[in-house]
Amino acid sequence: MAEHQADSEPRTDFSSTVSGQMQNRVLVVTIDNPPVNAISAEVRSGLMAALAHLAQTPDATAMVLTGAGRTFIGGADIREFGKPPVDPILPTVIAALEASDKPVIAALNGAALGGGLEVAMACHRRIAVRTASLGLPEVKLGIVPGAGGTQMLPRLVCAIPALGMIASGKPVPSAEALTIGLVDDVSGSELIGDAIDMALCPNSISPRRTSQLALPAFDTATYETEVQKILKKARGERAPAEVVRLVRLAMEVPFAEGLAEERATFLRLRDSEEAAALRHVFFAERSAGKVDGLEATPLTLATIGIAGTGLMGCGIAVATLAAGYDVIALDQTVEAAEKGRDRIAGLLAQSVKSGRLAQADADAQLSRLTVTATITDMAPADLVIEAVFDDLDGKIDLFRRLDDVLRPDAILATNTSYLDPDTIAAATAFPTRVVGLHFFSPAHIMRLVEVVRCAKSTDTALATALAFARKIRKLPVVTGVCEGFIGNRIFSAYRSEAERLIEEGALPQDIDRAMEDYGFPMGLFAVYDMAGLEIAWARRKRQAATRDPLAPYFEIPDRLCEAGRFGAKSGRGWYVYPDGKRSVDPDVTAMIEAYRLEKGLTARLIDDAEIIQRLLAAMAREGDALLAEGIAARPGDIDIVLVNGYGFPARKGGPMFAASR
Ligand code: 3H9
């Protein structure tokens, strides 16, 4: 790398977010628009001014474009979507970058996403730091790239990887970007110096314009197989099918024509309900876990205790080990604890097998795990998460024993789904350190965690639980204490309304079909069958003595269990499963009809539209109640719980968003 003087040169501001400085006759332009350098109107006008300056400055032989902070450019400014466009629009900037007579090098200091990657692809060369990621995640927002992404990427990397990247929205790391030809080099340590070297290198003297590159050859049969996979996976989403069409255009029509069609498609999708819903989910996910007035500093955690090494405890352990913590996992006997270790090792081995984890990392993670059946071994834990059987006395007993072992400032979290965490906290020596961390199964995969703020939880306990959840790459949503917290309470309302629909004349398969057509991956009754009906049956039997005899009670689930129909595992539940495939069972229909007759209920025809409307309204009503009671802080929190934990289709935005439209 050549020596590059810099700081003595004056800085030129091209806008409030874009500035430039000469270094070795190269104009180094930096975008500084925190938090992610989104290409707002200010950035766009700054880039146009920088290009004009480049053209008019004889001393400047080339330009290097980079970002301040950890991101190159996080994409178009999503907050501008839905507002009137402000000139210069991004395609104008992209065209100007590409047309520059002097070489422009993109120096990717971090993520280049969406419009950010389009800017990079319009530059004449690209160099990235090792930690950068490059992608076109627009489909995740229900749109397609709108500034040339679908036409440039196939020309740079060939149609097959381009199609995969754009249709999945998944970014690739720099190393892979280098292999497929998306970047020209990966910088060792001195990105700007390396980019300047690249700019001054004779190879870069004539700008290489992406729009003029010939499409690399590829195997059409493989390509068509990829197309079929994408269309099958799209499940009613519009954007992936449009991506397929636009990438095909990149092969079939001149660049300008493909570009125009891409832009028209982008604008059409951007203004769609689906895109509005996905934007809502995007921002709701980023607001979740933010608590008004919570200023406490989270405690530093190094060692996490996990009590219970069943499926849930092991899933939590895997997520916790992956984030770099030491884990002490406790079970009742040495044999059970050893079984827990085997289960954790098995989950890690699965990740290695699927290519998600390197063997060396799996080994390192496992070396940070201790399993034990001796509760005093939990003493070093800074946070203990209990994931034992959902039984109040058992949990209280465990927490009391932990009280004798842990430091007073250690945090205690319960993973209960239905028990009252305030009752558990009240039975301990320090109720202020108790919170809930309600994980969803399988806990090493599901992102959602409900963080339960108990009546006496301190701000420090809450802040620590939130920071921990984020550190283990989960999506935390804060909930107050109530039966079922946010998710299961809404789900209960959904279930009750579905049961009413059955009493009125709908059949389980009608309800499941309607909700699957709406976008749920699986209808309610199919979900019950998959989960198994017997655990809820046992709970209902335990609660029978205390149930209000006058409250409405839907008896069909009990009757199914009494008939030995425990769900898919037993081959029969709400459906039958000959050869494992779900089919409607006339016996269940007969059971429902007999039940209606017995109760004097008259069945009527209920169409899919009514089913959907009634079920969504029931969820939204319960959501309103959660907000009124202060259990949930924002409608968006409820939406992301349902989207991330219960299969509510993201493209509908969640029950509260759907109700607001
Ligand atoms: C596009 O580019 C279309 C083009 O093809 C065509 C246009 C013509 N805009 O995620 P974080 C905010 S579509 C506005 O927690 P991280 C976010 O809301 C776009 N704001 O950070 C949050 O705000 P707050 C395609 C944005 O470090 C803050 O930044 N691009 C945008 O974990 C921090 O966010 C994408 O879809 C944005 N584009 O991750 C990329 N992005 O602090 C979307 C973020 O007020 N972004 N914010 O809550 C990401 O994937 C991640 O934010 C990123 C950083 C990886 C960049």
Side-chain angles (χ1 to χ4, degrees), residues 35-36 38 70-71 74-79 81 90-91 111 113-115 118 137-138 141 143-147 263 266 282-283 286 290:
V36 298
R70 288 188 303 124
T71 311
D77 189 338
I78 305 170
R79 291 181 203 276
F81 289 5
L90 190 56
L113 299 174
E118 289 170 313
E138 282 86 345
L141 295 168
I143 55 175
V144 294
R263 182 78 186 161
F266 163 77
F282 177 86
F283 287 117
R286 274 143 187 93
K290 290 186 183 158

Side-chain angles (χ1 to χ4, degrees), residues 395-410 412 422-434 456:
K395 291 198 192 237
I396 287 177
D397 176 58
L398 173 71
F399 273 30
R400 283 194 173 142
R401 288 191 296 135
L402 284 169
D403 269 343
D404 296 336
V405 170
L406 301 177
R407 291 190 321 272
D409 66 337
L412 272 174
D422 281 337
T423 310
I424 300 173
T428 66
F430 309 103
T432 51
R433 65 171 172 177
V434 176
K456 296 207 168 142

